[in-house]
């Protein structure tokens, strides 16, 4: 059987656009002599629609789109993902389904069994789990249909306080009893640089353990925070990946299940390059799907804003990026020169606005209220908030989206000013630790200097007081990032982290900073997710707790 994997980029709620893209691919597949074309999970609606699934009109439009797509399945079959109304008396209103379309109509629907409710996922909020297992009998082949998590009943755990068997049922085990010729998996599996290997291993183990080929079709593209990397694969009965589609871009593959042919794999690249490509895709799709074209940010001469602006230019083009340089009396000449040089290297518009007079006016107005009190972080924050006012003014006046440049290390410990440098429509580096920001800068300069070398090598500083350095109040980033990763991603306790060779008092101070600053993150811009545990709706912590 000739099967096509259609790895496409969808937009949530764009039924006309999504259906048009699917129909165009079905017509292309007909020309290629394809028997069955496979699309990704919830391809008709885009993944994940959240509480749009509770709107009757939304579901009606999804149903109409599936029916329209079915009309084009004449002489070819397709598997598309969409919600389906649960007609049973009890249970949730919907199923997360894969519709089998052939002969111009909907032939059958196959519902998702395992509904994830961890990290970024909350599917049981909307969907009823499947409890019936059957195959598609088409052109002499028996096809088992699974949807994303259905293959993840067993999975690795990131920490000791976890289970590798999350569910009481294994869809693959139930389907294997029916002796299918191959398994199709419609997926919407988001990118995570530190879990990509897990995903492949899950698929490989299923194919090898059951001796059944797996055809895995993943979504590509970004939906606000979530970035889907594609990487669809065909895995043979030995658990070998034989075919692999591109990452971070749409792709299409036709294969004959009876004559697979030679291996076609993607080149292995470093995780920093993957993060780079993910963030470029995340920025581009956020703007395109929101209907915006232009971005703005404050360029300080520091590493975070430098990396952010390069990503923005690569995502949107230099003509669509505008920056402000906003020095104060504490800004070094080097910082201004570095920022100007970077802007000129990129060919983007930059303007210089000295904020000192605005800061002085704020301080003069507040001085009667602060009489008798020494300057402290309050005055530092006035500078950051003054910059925020300028940036938001540019955003409002010209219709630009302000990019937030705070990295994950700073975001974790609250090393940012609420209503100041934490402003923005989307946080580009909020899931990238500081050391990886430096690695990104080196990757960006691999073919020639884009980011000035001085920006990369100088000690990080917010430049809000004389001779300020990040390490005045934080551990060295080599230590800080490791502590944070163990606490945030691996859920280790202070004692477990201290046992890695860190002073317990410092570990507890860092963790206290993380916990105390949850209220800031609660108000922050959405963060482009590139790890297994990003701040945002995938990490839900109480704002008030004594833990």
């Amino acid at each position: 059987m000739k099967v096509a994997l259609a790895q496409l980029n969808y937009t949530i709620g764009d039924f006309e656009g999504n259906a048009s893209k699917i129909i165009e691919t079905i017509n292309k597949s007909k020309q290629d002599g394809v028997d069955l074309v496979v699309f990704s999970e919830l391809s008709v609606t885009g993944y994940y629609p959240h509480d749009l699934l509770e709107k009757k009109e939304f579901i009606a439009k999804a149903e109409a789109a599936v029916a329209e797509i079915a009309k084009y399945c004449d002489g070819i079959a397709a598997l598309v993902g969409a919600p389906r109304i649960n007609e049973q008396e009890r249970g949730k209103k919907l199923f997360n389904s894969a519709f089998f379309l052939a002969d111009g109509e909907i032939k059958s629907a196959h519902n998702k069994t395992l509904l994830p409710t961890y990290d970024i996922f909350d599917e049981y909020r909307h969907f009823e789990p499947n409890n019936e297992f059957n195959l598609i009998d088409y052109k002499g082949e028996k096809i088992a249909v699974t949807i994303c998590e259905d293959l993840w009943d067993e999975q690795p755990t990131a920490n000791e306080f976890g289970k590798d068997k999350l569910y009481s049922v294994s869809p693959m085990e139930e389907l294997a009893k029916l002796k299918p010729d191959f398994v199709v998996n419609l997926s919407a599996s988001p990118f995570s640089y530190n879990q990509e290997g897990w995903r492949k291993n899950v698929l490989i183990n299923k194919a090898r353990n059951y001796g059944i080929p797996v055809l895995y079709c993943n979504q590509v593209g970004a939906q606000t925070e979530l970035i889907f990397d594609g990487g669809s694969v065909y895995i043979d009965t030995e658990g070998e990946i034989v075919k692999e589609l591109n990452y971070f871009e749409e792709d299409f593959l036709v294969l004959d299940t009876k004559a697979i042919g030679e291996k076609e794999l993607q080149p292995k690249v470093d995780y920093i390059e993957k993060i780079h490509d993910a963030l470029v895709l995340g920025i581009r799709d956020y703007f395109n799907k929101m209907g915006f074209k232009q971005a703005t940010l404050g360029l300080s001469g520091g590493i975070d804003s430098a990396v952010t602006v390069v990503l923005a230019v690569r995502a949107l083009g230099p003509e669509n990026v505008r920056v402000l340089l906003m020095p104060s009396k504490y800004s070094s000449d080097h910082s201004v020169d570095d920022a100007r040089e970077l802007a000129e290297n990129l060919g983007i518009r930059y303007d210089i606005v000295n904020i000192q007079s605005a800061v002085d006016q704020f301080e003069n107005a507040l001085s009667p209220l602060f009489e008798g009190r020494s300057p402290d972080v309050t005055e530092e924050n006035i500078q950051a908030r003054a910059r925020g006012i300028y940036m938001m003014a540019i955003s409002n006046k010209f219709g630009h989206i302000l990019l937030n440049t705070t990295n994950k290390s700073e975001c974790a410990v609250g090393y940012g000013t609420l209503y100041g440098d934490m402003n923005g429509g989307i946080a580009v580096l909020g899931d990238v630790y500081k050391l990886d920001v430096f690695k990104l800068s080196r990757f960006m300069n691999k073919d020639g200097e884009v980011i000035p070398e001085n920006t990369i090598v100088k000690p990080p500083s917010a430049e809000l007081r004389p001779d300020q350095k990040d390490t005045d109040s934080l551990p060295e980033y080599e230590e800080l990032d490791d502590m944070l990763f163990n606490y945030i991603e691996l859920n280790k306790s202070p004692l477990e982290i201290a046992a890695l060779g860190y002073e317990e008092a410092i570990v507890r101070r860092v963790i206290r900073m993380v916990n105390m600053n949850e209220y800031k993150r609660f108000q922050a811009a959405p963060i482009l997710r590139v790890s297994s545990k990003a701040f945002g709706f995938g990490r839900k912590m109480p704002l008030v707790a004594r833990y």
Side-chain angles (χ1 to χ4, degrees):
M1 178 180 286
K2 290 185 74 172
V3 181
L5 298 179
Q7 177 178 292
L8 303 179
N9 187 343
Y10 306 100
T11 300
I12 292 172
D14 183 8
F15 295 102
E16 183 177 345
N18 294 341
S20 176
K21 183 171 287 195
I22 291 169
I23 290 167
E24 181 181 341
T25 305
I26 289 171
N27 289 335
K28 170 182 168 57
S29 299
K30 284 182 185 179
Q31 296 173 3
D32 293 335
V34 169
D35 298 302
L36 172 67
V37 55
V38 181
F39 298 90
S40 62
E41 178 181 11
L42 292 180
S43 46
V44 171
T45 63
Y47 189 96
Y48 187 73
H50 295 289
D51 285 356
L52 288 175
L53 291 165
E54 297 183 5
K55 296 182 178 294
K56 184 178 180 180
E57 181 188 25
F58 188 85
I59 302 304
K61 287 185 176 181
E63 291 176 328
V66 173
E68 180 66 18
I69 294 166
K71 295 176 183 178
Y72 293 83
C73 293
D74 183 18
I76 191 173
L79 280 164
V80 300
R84 183 169 77 96
I85 293 175
N86 177 12
E87 302 290 355
Q88 300 171 16
E89 184 179 350
R90 295 181 180 274
K92 300 293 178 68
K93 290 181 291 188
L94 302 170
F95 290 109
N96 182 344
S97 300
F99 288 85
F100 178 62
L101 313 178
D103 300 327
E105 61 185 19
I106 299 170
K107 290 292 188 180
S108 59
H110 305 263
N111 305 324
K112 189 172 184 177
T113 304
L114 307 183
L115 303 175
T117 57
Y118 55 84
D119 194 65
I120 56 172
F121 304 106
D122 195 13
E123 290 192 29
Y124 192 64
R125 178 183 178 94
H126 303 107
F127 295 119
E128 178 72 9
N130 170 64
N131 57 14
E132 297 178 358
F133 299 93
N134 48 61
L135 305 180
I136 295 172
D137 196 341
Y138 180 65
K139 291 196 172 183
E141 298 280 358
K142 293 180 178 179
I143 306 166
V145 178
T146 59
I147 303 176
C148 203
E149 187 83 358
D150 285 345
L151 297 186
W152 284 69
D153 56 289
E154 294 183 66
Q155 55 182 277
T157 56
N159 58 82
E160 294 178 3
F161 190 63
K163 298 178 69 173
D164 58 2
K165 291 183 173 64
L166 296 182
Y167 303 97
S168 58
V169 63
S170 168
M172 189 75 166
E173 184 176 313
E174 296 299 322
L175 290 166
K177 296 174 184 177
L178 305 177
K179 302 188 181 307
D181 294 299
F182 58 88
V183 174
V184 172
N185 185 261
L186 290 74
S187 188
S189 181
F191 170 70
S192 167
Y193 77 88
N194 58 326
Q195 280 191 339
E196 185 194 0
W198 289 14
R199 183 171 69 191
K200 283 186 177 179
N201 288 338
V202 165
L203 299 171
I204 287 168
N205 289 338
K206 290 299 181 189
R208 179 188 296 140
N209 293 344
Y210 291 97
I212 305 172
V214 173
L215 288 82
Y216 163 83
C217 185
N218 193 24
Q219 179 178 318
V220 73
Q223 310 289 4
T224 311
E225 300 100 323
L226 296 186
I227 302 168
F228 298 90
D229 56 336
S232 304
V233 293
Y234 171 86
I235 303 175
D236 67 16
T237 56
E238 303 300 317
E240 289 287 328
I241 296 177
V242 184
K243 304 290 183 180
E244 184 178 23
L245 277 67
N246 284 322
Y247 288 84
F248 304 109
E249 62 184 53
E250 293 190 331
D251 204 358
F252 179 79
L253 172 72
V254 177
L255 56 87
D256 189 332
T257 59
K258 300 300 184 184
I260 297 301
E262 299 295 319
K263 281 189 176 182
E264 296 178 46
L265 306 182
Q266 299 302 318
K268 295 186 181 299
V269 297
D270 185 74
Y271 80 100
I272 287 295
E273 183 173 347
K274 293 176 183 176
I275 291 176
H276 169 276
D277 293 347
L279 294 175
V280 169
L281 176 59
I283 295 170
R284 181 182 298 127
D285 270 10
Y286 183 78
F287 277 75
N288 288 344
K289 294 177 182 182
M290 287 278 286
F292 286 91
K293 290 185 177 180
Q294 296 178 302
T296 191
L297 66 146
L299 201 59
S300 68
I303 193 69
D304 299 312
S305 62
V307 167
T308 301
V309 76
V310 173
L311 291 168
V313 167
R314 292 179 178 183
L316 306 173
E319 70 280 6
N320 290 318
V321 179
R322 177 179 181 176
V323 298
L324 277 186
L325 283 61
M326 298 171 284
S328 74
K329 63 183 179 183
Y330 299 124
S331 301
S332 66
D333 291 338
H334 263 307
S335 292
V336 177
D337 292 341
D338 293 342
R340 183 189 290 112
E341 182 181 349
L342 174 57
E344 291 172 352
N345 288 347
L346 294 172
I348 60 175
R349 175 174 175 175
Y350 69 92
D351 298 280
I352 302 177
V353 178
N354 192 298
I355 67 165
Q356 194 57 53
S357 60
V359 171
D360 290 342
Q361 285 185 327
F362 277 119
E363 291 185 353
N364 291 336
L366 289 166
S367 61
L369 306 178
F370 294 168
E371 188 175 358
R373 294 179 178 270
S374 301
D376 54 18
V377 70
T378 306
E379 283 72 21
E380 295 181 26
N381 286 344
I382 287 173
Q383 296 173 69
R385 290 184 177 121
R387 291 187 173 108
I389 290 172
Y390 281 109
M391 293 311 309
M392 288 307 302
I394 294 293
S395 174
N396 293 159
K397 183 62 70 176
F398 299 102
H400 296 181
I401 293 290
L402 175 59
L403 299 180
N404 179 272
T405 65
T406 306
N407 64 65
K408 189 171 187 176
S409 307
E410 295 171 347
C411 188
V413 297
Y415 202 73
T417 303
L418 204 55
Y419 323 122
D421 55 298
M422 289 182 68
N423 287 353
I426 192 81
V428 176
L429 300 178
D431 198 27
V432 183
Y433 287 113
K434 188 75 169 189
L435 292 181
D436 283 339
V437 176
F438 281 106
K439 290 178 182 178
L440 279 169
S441 70
R442 290 298 183 191
F443 173 75
M444 291 168 169
N445 280 2
K446 65 183 177 64
D447 296 322
E449 186 173 287
V450 179
I451 298 175
E453 181 68 13
N454 188 63
T455 296
I456 301 174
V457 300
K458 67 183 177 185
S461 171
E463 294 192 330
L464 298 176
R465 64 173 182 264
D467 301 319
Q468 185 181 28
K469 295 181 177 61
D470 290 4
T471 50
D472 294 342
S473 53
L474 298 173
E476 294 287 348
Y477 280 110
E478 287 81 2
E479 297 181 355
L480 177 65
D481 285 359
D482 189 47
M483 292 180 201
L484 293 173
F485 183 85
N486 277 279
Y487 184 62
I488 296 165
E489 273 86 348
L490 301 186
N491 276 319
K492 289 187 177 180
S493 69
L495 289 178
E496 288 174 312
I497 299 172
L500 299 175
Y502 300 113
E503 186 178 332
E504 184 181 340
I506 294 177
V507 172
R508 290 191 180 278
R509 182 169 70 85
V510 167
I511 290 176
R512 183 171 181 271
M513 293 170 76
V514 175
N515 295 344
M516 283 181 59
N517 285 286
E518 195 64 41
Y519 79 99
K520 282 189 178 181
R521 293 187 291 270
F522 191 80
Q523 302 176 68
I527 293 169
L528 292 179
R529 178 188 185 271
V530 295
S531 80
S532 60
K533 186 58 68 175
F535 293 123
F537 63 84
R539 184 179 185 271
K540 299 176 181 177
M541 293 290 175
L543 299 190
V544 179
R546 291 190 177 183
Y547 177 70

